[in-house]
């Protein structure tokens, strides 16, 4: 009875010791076996692994690609135009032993603080060597590669591998935005004024051309009308000449009647003329008695009869 009572606690102790000596390595992580602060082994293959109970401990680190957002920072490109840059980096722990030696018990938090300093310094250095137009253009892909390569050299001392660096946002500082917007508005207003001036110039040119065309058309029409009117007047005069030429006396009488009509047709009129003026020739004829024309002399009578 006493013997069995001792075996049960011993079995429990042996089982607990055996369980504490085993640990499982996940496929998404790597493990360090530490003994009194010294690295005794690296477990990178997933599965069951062993350590010495109570003496050794296991420290696990993520083996996946991790991301780190960099706090927005101001950079001054070569053209002295300040920009606010927001970036992030992708990294992974390449050497867990070197990583442990570099950051100690601080782990990922301490490593990311030091990585932020590296990325911020290299971002300022690379972006400060180019103009703001280069940063805002398609050349920014090459600039991000330069930042990654420069940061990767320093990150190797931390046991880290920089996979990629990306610029998420590149803006002007808040205090410069209003001035920039005002300058943009002024430029757009100037462009609009130029377009309006060119439109007015084109409109004036078109109006001048249309006015010239109207004058030319009206002048041609008047010239044609004057030609036609002259030809009609000539035809009318020819007809009158032919008609009045048949009876000269009637033509003179008709002209006198038209002259009387023009002289006396507008109300009372007074005229001072000499009595023997030719103007009233036909009026004087009208006052004279009509003397019948003498008849033809009779034929001579025959010889008187004896």
């Amino acid at each position: 009875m006493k013997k069995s009572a001792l075996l049960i606690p011993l079995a429990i102790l042996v089982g607990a010791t055996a369980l504490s000596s085993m640990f499982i390595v996940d496929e998404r992580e790597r493990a360090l076996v530490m003994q009194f602060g010294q690295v005794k082994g690296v477990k990178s293959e997933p599965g069951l692994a062993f350590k010495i109970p109570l003496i050794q401990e296991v420290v696990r680190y993520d083996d996946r690609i991790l991301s780190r957002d960099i706090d927005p920072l101001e950079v001054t490109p070569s053209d002295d135009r300040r920009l606010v840059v927001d970036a992030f980096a992708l990294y992974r722990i390449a050497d867990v032993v070197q990583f442990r030696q570099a950051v100690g018990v601080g782990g990922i938090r301490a490593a990311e603080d030091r990585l932020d300093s590296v990325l911020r310094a290299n971002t300022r250095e690379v972006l400060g060597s180019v103009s703001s137009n280069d940063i805002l253009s398609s050349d920014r892909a090459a600039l991000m590669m330069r930042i990654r390569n420069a940061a990767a050299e320093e990150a190797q001392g931390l046991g880290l591998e920089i996979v990629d660096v990306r610029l998420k946002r590149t803006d002007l500082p808040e205090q410069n935005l209003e001035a920039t917007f005002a300058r943009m508005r002024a430029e757009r207003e100037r462009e609009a004024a130029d377009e309006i001036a060119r439109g007015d110039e084109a409109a004036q040119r078109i109006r001048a051309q249309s006015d010239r065309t109207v004058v030319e058309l009206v002048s041609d029409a008047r010239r044609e009308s004057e030609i036609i009117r002259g030809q009609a007047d000539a035809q009318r005069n020819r007809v009158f000449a032919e008609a009045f030429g048949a009876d000269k006396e009637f033509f003179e009488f008709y002209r006198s009647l038209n002259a009387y009509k023009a002289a006396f047709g507008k109300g009372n009129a007074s005229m001072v003329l000499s009595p023997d003026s030719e103007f009233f020739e036909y009026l004087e004829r009208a006052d004279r008695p009509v003397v019948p024309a003498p008849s033809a002399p009779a034929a001579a009578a025959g010889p008187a009869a004896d």
Side-chain angles (χ1 to χ4, degrees):
M1 186 67 181
K2 292 181 180 182
K3 190 175 182 178
S4 60
L6 292 175
L7 290 176
I8 293 175
L10 182 62
I12 295 175
L13 180 60
V14 171
T17 302
L19 290 176
S20 63
S21 65
M22 295 184 297
F23 63 94
I24 297 175
V25 179
D26 191 271
E27 59 185 2
R28 297 168 295 180
E29 63 184 12
R30 283 187 288 179
L32 287 180
V33 178
M34 308 292 297
Q35 181 175 334
F36 305 118
Q38 300 295 324
V39 179
K40 294 300 182 179
V42 178
K43 304 297 182 181
S44 57
E45 295 296 329
L48 187 63
F50 297 92
K51 64 181 180 66
I52 299 175
L54 303 177
I55 298 177
Q56 295 180 341
E57 61 176 348
V58 177
V59 179
R60 304 173 188 270
Y61 294 109
D62 203 325
D63 195 34
R64 295 173 295 181
I65 294 177
L66 307 175
S67 64
R68 178 62 178 174
D69 285 332
I70 306 172
D71 293 334
L73 70 155
E74 286 192 8
V75 298
T76 304
S78 58
D79 55 1
D80 294 332
R81 184 182 181 184
R82 291 190 305 166
L83 297 174
V84 176
V85 177
D86 191 4
F88 74 94
L90 299 178
Y91 72 97
R92 61 185 297 270
I93 301 174
D95 189 340
V96 291
V97 176
Q98 188 176 4
F99 179 80
R100 176 70 181 189
Q101 293 173 350
V103 301
V105 296
I108 292 294
R109 182 180 297 275
E112 287 183 344
D113 291 341
R114 296 177 62 178
L115 181 62
D116 284 351
S117 300
V118 171
L119 291 173
R120 292 170 69 90
N122 285 279
T123 300
R124 282 198 174 97
E125 180 180 357
V126 173
L127 299 185
S129 63
V130 297
S131 66
S132 57
N133 291 332
D134 295 332
I135 299 174
L136 300 175
S137 68
S138 58
D139 295 337
R140 63 188 301 170
L143 297 177
M144 290 186 290
M145 183 61 66
R146 287 176 55 187
I147 296 172
R148 186 195 74 83
N149 294 337
E153 295 180 3
E154 299 185 33
Q156 287 179 355
L158 299 175
L160 300 177
E161 176 188 356
I162 305 297
V163 178
D164 196 7
V165 175
R166 292 290 170 178
L167 301 179
K168 296 190 297 182
R169 183 173 60 92
T170 306
D171 293 330
L172 293 171
E174 290 294 334
Q175 58 270 26
N176 295 347
L177 285 179
E178 187 61 32
T180 301
F181 291 154
R183 184 173 65 253
M184 293 173 63
R185 284 194 295 268
E187 291 176 355
R188 296 301 178 269
E189 289 174 356
R190 179 181 56 80
E191 293 177 0
D194 291 342
E195 292 294 334
I196 292 174
R198 283 194 289 269
D200 291 339
E201 180 182 359
Q204 291 178 0
R205 185 168 57 251
I206 293 172
R207 281 194 293 267
Q209 183 64 33
S210 62
D211 292 341
R212 178 180 177 182
T213 302
V214 169
V215 171
E216 291 177 352
L217 292 176
V218 172
S219 298
D220 291 341
R222 288 178 178 175
R223 180 173 56 83
E224 293 294 333
S225 65
E226 292 296 333
I227 292 174
I228 295 173
R229 186 178 291 108
Q231 293 174 350
D233 290 342
Q235 181 69 15
R236 183 193 64 178
N237 293 335
R238 185 181 61 80
V239 172
F240 282 167
E242 291 177 355
F244 295 137
D247 190 345
K248 184 178 180 180
E249 182 69 19
F250 176 75
F251 177 66
E252 293 178 354
F253 175 70
Y254 179 76
R255 289 182 61 189
S256 297
L257 292 180
N258 287 334
Y260 296 155
K261 180 180 180 181
F264 303 113
K266 297 181 180 180
N268 297 327
S270 299
M271 299 184 67
V272 179
L273 298 172
S274 62
D276 55 352
S277 176
E278 295 180 357
F279 186 73
F280 295 106
E281 179 183 359
Y282 285 95
L283 291 179
E284 292 176 355
R285 290 183 185 181
D287 293 339
R288 297 174 185 175
V290 179
V291 179
S295 59
D306 295 330

